[in-house]
Amino acid sequence: MAESDREDDQSPEEQLQALIRQLFGGAGAEVDPEQLARLSGMGIDPAMMQTVMQHLQGAFAGAADKGISWDLAKRQALHIANQDGRGVTDGQRTDLDQAFVLAALWLSEATTISELSAPPRTLTRGGWVEATLPVWQELAEPVATSIADALTEALNGQAPEEMQGLVQGAGRLIRMVGGSLFASQLGQVVGNLSKEVVSGGDVGLPLMSDGDAVILPQNFADFGRDLEIPHDQLALYIATRELAHARLFRHARWLRLHVISQVTDFARGIHVDTGALEELASRFDPSEPEELRRAIESGVLLPTRSEAQTAALTRLENLLATIEGWVEIVTERATSRLPSADRIAEAVRRRRAVGGPAEQALSSLVGLELRPRRMREAAAMWRAVTDAVGVAGRDALWDYPDLMPTAEDIDDPAVLVARLEARARGEEPAPDEMDDELARLLAGEHPGEPSGADGASSEHGDPDGQAEDPRPA
């Protein structure tokens, strides 16, 4: 029987199976347009299917042994970032360069952490995408892998018995399709974020290389448009804040890994809602991938956080709040000469608390919220520390990971302040002695004053609670 006669006897489902088998032949295999035309019995548009097959064929040939290909995410993000075609003008670059110079001088009066080794710079939206996408990929890959694995399992469970062999054989391809859809969504989120962020440290995560301070002039202009604040003051404040953030991560070189590891710890705990995915797979139409795309984008596939995930997110929020609280206090002191500093600071806080549409989309995509809920409390802690032990004593807490304030210190800065004041006096009490001293301090007693079993108000004292004099009469 001729090959064409055998194809005519095939059902549409069998013809689709043949096409998928053909896909495994690699990029050099040709897809027959007449064969695609026969898929009309399945309600699939042949032209659309031709395009899908070509993209999948090329992607599969290039990513067969590399896991999820992030090239699609990069192309998507750059397409969105470069849509308006605006670049950085010479005037914008000059204004911000001058702001960085003065901000560096002011910042050196507000912190003992040294200046950057590399000069700060302006960056286009596309440049920000190029610089930060590797970090976004690292943070999102655990979720992408989880979705791809779950999609494979769900489709295996939903496939008819006669197609089990085909689906199992195409498991790697199905994983790639799910991962590619996720990568496409990530590209959209990062591309839209590039139109919102004003500076390198704007999101709170260490997206730039250590010691790299940048401002995006396009977004800086948009941010200040409705604030009715003089442009030069706004530039000085944003430049100071960005330099403070960059200086901190350059000084505490362990901090970047500390933040990234906490984010990935949270992401690794994400497991796809198999019930929602199986329900989606039961009605999944290969010719209509938009439903799967919408499900990934909305976050419906990510179930309610587990207790472990909630704990991981709380640790991350406390860490980000500790970092941003320090940045806020240092920026506040460095920009005290600016008449509009308080107004700008409140605008920045409000903007960080609300977040933009792209940041909210990132929360839906990977379940990660980047708005530190405790930034005000952390800033109050750093303010108390600065008042107690000065700038040098405050900044020394970033010298080693073990010295960094904890969540308990944010809750009750008095413990941290008492410990630092004791250290400033040359005293290094043991932890249990420190607790005793703090308890006496909070009780209104003087440090070092005996109490309890040591003599004060003991059962061996007089009725008025005074300790007996142990010296002989």
Side-chain angles (χ1 to χ4, degrees):
M1 182 182 294
E3 184 69 24
S4 58
D5 293 335
R6 286 196 301 270
E7 290 177 354
D8 289 339
D9 293 338
Q10 289 179 328
S11 67
E13 288 79 6
E14 290 171 333
Q15 293 164 21
L16 179 59
Q17 292 179 36
L19 278 174
I20 295 178
R21 290 193 190 95
Q22 201 173 25
L23 190 61
F24 284 93
E30 294 295 332
V31 178
D32 184 3
E34 293 184 7
Q35 192 178 17
L36 283 169
R38 297 189 184 95
L39 293 175
S40 58
M42 295 183 68
I44 299 176
D45 176 42
M48 183 278 298
M49 197 63 181
Q50 175 81 56
T51 303
V52 169
M53 282 296 183
Q54 288 173 351
H55 282 298
L56 289 180
Q57 194 174 54
F60 185 66
D65 298 318
K66 301 176 184 176
I68 296 169
S69 173
W70 296 101
D71 289 344
L72 181 60
K74 184 176 181 178
R75 290 197 301 270
Q76 188 83 6
L78 288 175
H79 173 71
I80 295 173
N82 297 326
Q83 273 180 341
D84 66 359
R86 285 191 296 164
V88 181
T89 67
D90 291 339
Q92 289 174 324
R93 186 177 290 108
T94 300
D95 290 347
L96 290 172
D97 285 346
Q98 292 174 350
F100 272 129
V101 171
L102 184 54
L105 293 175
W106 287 359
L107 198 58
S108 295
E109 299 174 0
T111 177
T112 59
I113 291 179
S114 61
E115 294 187 24
L116 303 176
S117 56
R121 57 199 174 102
T122 55
L123 207 60
T124 63
R125 292 170 177 172
W128 182 86
V129 167
E130 296 268 10
T132 65
L133 194 57
V135 179
W136 291 120
Q137 292 172 7
E138 182 181 358
L139 301 182
E141 189 160 18
V143 184
T145 301
S146 180
I147 288 178
D149 289 342
L151 178 61
T152 304
E153 295 174 7
L155 289 177
N156 282 339
Q158 293 293 333
E161 184 176 351
E162 63 272 15
M163 292 188 67
Q164 281 294 326
L166 174 65
V167 171
Q168 290 173 4
R172 187 169 54 175
L173 175 61
I174 294 171
R175 287 191 73 259
M176 190 198 67
V177 170
S180 296
L181 284 174
F182 183 91
S184 174
Q185 294 303 107
L186 178 66
Q188 290 188 38
V189 168
V190 174
N192 285 314
L193 266 175
S194 75
K195 299 192 293 185
E196 296 178 8
V197 295
V198 173
S199 61
D202 201 11
V203 179
L205 296 176
L207 300 174
M208 309 300 298
S209 301
D210 287 345
D212 196 4
V214 303
I215 287 181
L216 284 70
Q218 297 158 285
N219 301 342
F220 170 75
D222 294 340
F223 171 62
R225 185 164 293 121
D226 299 325
L227 293 181
E228 297 182 355
I229 294 173
H231 174 86
D232 57 343
Q233 293 192 41
L234 190 61
L236 271 170
Y237 188 94
I238 297 300
T240 303
R241 183 179 178 85
E242 173 65 5
L243 286 177
H245 190 272
R247 281 194 188 189
L248 176 60
F249 276 91
R250 180 178 179 272
H251 171 79
R253 295 189 180 275
W254 49 269
L255 186 57
R256 178 186 180 87
L257 179 60
H258 196 43
V259 174
I260 296 296
S261 62
Q262 291 211 17
V263 176
T264 52
D265 284 347
F266 169 80
R268 287 192 190 99
I270 291 178
H271 297 287
V272 175
D273 186 340
T274 54
L277 191 57
E278 287 174 0
E279 195 268 334
L280 176 63
S282 67
R283 61 178 189 273
F284 180 66
D285 182 351
S287 68
E288 294 291 341
E290 284 304 312
E291 186 170 10
L292 177 58
R293 187 186 302 276
R294 286 193 298 269
I296 292 175
E297 183 180 20
S298 67
V300 70
L301 299 181
L302 303 182
T304 305
R305 297 187 190 103
S306 64
E307 291 185 9
Q309 265 195 299
T310 300
L313 185 59
T314 299
R315 289 193 299 271
L316 176 62
E317 286 178 341
N318 286 326
L319 175 59
L320 294 179
T322 303
I323 293 169
E324 294 211 18
W326 181 90
V327 170
E328 178 173 325
I329 291 305
V330 170
T331 303
E332 175 185 288
R333 292 185 176 241
T335 59
S336 59
R337 300 177 179 87
L338 288 179
S340 302
D342 290 341
R343 290 178 58 202
I344 302 173
E346 184 56 35
V348 170
R349 279 194 295 267
R350 187 166 56 248
R351 182 171 174 271
R352 287 290 290 121
V354 175
E359 194 172 319
Q360 294 163 10
L362 180 68
S363 174
S364 298
L365 190 63
V366 298
L368 179 63
E369 297 176 5
L370 299 177
R371 295 179 290 281
R373 305 174 191 276
R374 307 187 66 196
M375 194 172 75
R376 288 184 185 271
E377 292 91 335
M381 175 198 69
W382 285 117
R383 190 175 289 110
V385 168
T386 308
D387 293 342
V389 298
V391 169
R394 176 201 67 202
D395 293 346
L397 294 177
W398 294 110
D399 289 348
Y400 302 100
D402 293 345
L403 299 178
M404 191 180 71
T406 64
E408 290 74 18
D409 293 330
I410 297 177
D411 292 333
D412 185 7
V415 178
L416 176 61
V417 167
R419 185 167 68 245
L420 294 176
E421 287 180 333
R423 184 179 300 160
R425 294 192 301 266
E427 304 170 6
E428 286 288 348
D432 54 339
E433 296 174 346
M434 186 70 244
D435 292 342
D436 292 342
E437 291 291 331
L438 178 63
R440 294 170 193 168
L441 182 65
L442 295 176
E445 303 172 11
H446 295 293
E449 180 179 294
S451 63
D454 293 328
S457 301
S458 86
E459 59 183 359
H460 301 293
D462 62 20
D464 294 327
Q466 299 296 321
E468 294 178 345
D469 189 343
R471 294 173 298 177

